[in-house]
Amino acid sequence: MKLISWNIDSLNAALTGDSARAELSRAVLKTIKDEDPDVIAIQETKLSSKGPTKKHLEILQEDVPDYTIAWNSSKEPARKSYAGTMFLFKNYLSPNVTYPEIGAPSTMDAEGRIITLEFDDFFITQVYTPNAGSGLVRLEERQQWDIKYADYLASLDKEKPVIATGDYNVAHKEIDLKNPKSNRRSAGFTDEEREGFTNLLARGFTDTFRYIHGDVEGVYSWWNQRAKTSKINNSGWRIDYWLVSNRIADKVQKSEMIDSGTRQDHTPTLLEIDI
């Protein structure tokens, strides 16, 4: 299977916007389409609680035909048009789709952050992990989320092997971001968040990028769009992952970033696995 994951930072903007950034986003979508993946996972859709509009669906059906769409959007009491996830999977696939709640704190379970596809012999699940926020105002809740999410993945793993992807909002090791020293207490690189990811892997999961590439440096999945030169200087972070149950790690054939050109923010990540 070929699988691609991408934090799109507003599906509506990417599909219907007329800005230069929207054009760059559409170019990334074309790149994903040309890869012809079996499954596409999208995070931070920012759709309303009603999900994609008729216009969104028409554009998607034209741009990426032959896919079934499953979406999970933020709903009350959570913020409107916030977070959100979506799967597109080839019509020849027929997974059971679930939208799990994990007992997360605050409104996190209502923010559309997880979708899971269950197949006969494995799960594919995606997540948009909550950000610890400016000034780390949500760090304590984020730590609770990390525990609940690890419990959820481990519960799936007891049933059958798991393939998990998404924007995990954490750079795990110092080699996973350009400037670790100056970001010690930045959201996404606190000791607490890094420990949460370490604990997740310890529950029986493999970071497929490191499994394939070892300790290679300078490969990132996100560049701050507020810093104009972040991508030019490759001042990035690796915060988007493909994880698999340890027992199927040897089935991973490829795990890498997809070139998103000059567009800053997240770049898509690709996994190929003989599952």
Side-chain angles (χ1 to χ4, degrees):
M1 296 187 79
K2 179 185 286 189
L3 315 169
I4 293 177
S5 179
W6 184 34
N7 178 319
I8 198 170
D9 186 27
S10 178
L11 184 72
N12 179 65
L15 296 183
T16 68
D18 57 6
S19 66
R21 178 174 166 78
E23 292 292 338
L24 291 174
S25 297
R26 283 192 282 274
V28 176
L29 282 172
K30 184 180 185 305
T31 299
I32 292 173
K33 173 188 174 183
D34 291 345
E35 289 282 349
D36 194 32
D38 298 284
V39 178
I40 303 169
I42 300 176
Q43 300 89 50
E44 204 171 0
T45 54
K46 295 183 177 178
L47 296 177
S48 77
S49 60
K50 296 180 180 179
T53 64
K54 182 179 179 181
K55 184 175 184 180
H56 294 150
L57 293 173
E58 288 174 351
I59 294 171
L60 286 170
Q61 287 163 4
E62 180 177 348
D63 288 352
V64 281
D66 305 321
Y67 286 86
T68 299
I69 299 172
W71 52 271
N72 195 6
S73 291
S74 184
K75 54 188 179 294
E76 291 184 352
R79 290 164 54 187
K80 296 180 179 179
S81 301
Y82 174 65
T85 48
M86 176 180 286
F87 265 125
L88 295 90
F89 51 89
K90 288 284 193 175
N91 290 337
Y92 53 74
L93 300 172
S94 54
N96 179 46
V97 184
T98 58
Y99 308 89
E101 296 184 359
I102 60 174
S106 185
T107 61
M108 289 176 174
D109 271 337
E111 293 167 2
R113 293 186 175 275
I114 305 175
I115 309 178
T116 297
L117 308 179
E118 180 178 3
F119 296 86
D120 289 344
D121 300 317
F122 58 94
F123 292 100
I124 300 176
T125 184
Q126 70 162 310
V127 65
Y128 176 39
T129 301
N131 192 297
S134 177
L136 303 178
V137 295
R138 219 177 185 188
L139 179 59
E140 184 176 340
E141 293 176 346
R142 163 62 185 269
Q143 290 176 266
Q144 295 174 51
W145 167 280
D146 285 345
I147 293 169
K148 296 289 188 179
Y149 178 75
D151 288 344
Y152 172 67
L153 274 202
S155 72
L156 294 183
D157 189 47
K158 289 180 180 178
E159 297 183 39
K160 59 187 81 171
V162 176
I163 301 169
T165 190
D167 174 2
Y168 283 82
N169 261 317
V170 61
H172 187 209
K173 303 286 189 180
E174 289 193 351
I175 59 173
D176 290 318
L177 73 166
K178 180 69 173 288
N179 299 304
K181 291 183 179 179
S182 60
N183 283 291
R184 292 289 299 176
R185 291 303 291 171
S186 296
F189 196 61
T190 64
D191 291 345
E192 293 89 342
E193 292 163 298
R194 295 169 65 194
E195 181 181 3
F197 197 78
T198 296
N199 292 339
L200 173 61
L201 296 182
R203 299 293 291 272
F205 300 97
T206 297
D207 174 353
T208 62
F209 180 83
R210 289 295 171 210
Y211 178 82
I212 294 292
H213 300 282
D215 289 336
V216 62
E217 298 185 23
V219 181
Y220 308 119
S221 68
W222 177 81
W223 300 263
N224 189 347
Q225 60 178 304
R226 296 177 182 175
K228 293 182 179 180
T229 61
S230 65
K231 200 162 192 180
I232 295 172
N233 296 333
N234 198 28
S235 296
W237 298 47
R238 191 174 72 95
I239 59 176
D240 303 87
Y241 298 82
W242 281 100
L243 310 180
V244 298
S245 297
N246 289 343
R247 61 188 182 280
I248 59 169
D250 61 349
K251 298 182 181 295
V252 174
Q253 299 172 332
K254 185 181 290 187
S255 181
E256 61 190 34
M257 315 307 166
I258 294 176
D259 185 7
S260 55
T262 59
R263 184 186 186 275
Q264 296 185 175
D265 205 40
H266 295 263
T267 204
T269 59
L270 175 145
L271 180 78
E272 291 185 13
I273 185 168
D274 182 11
I275 195 69

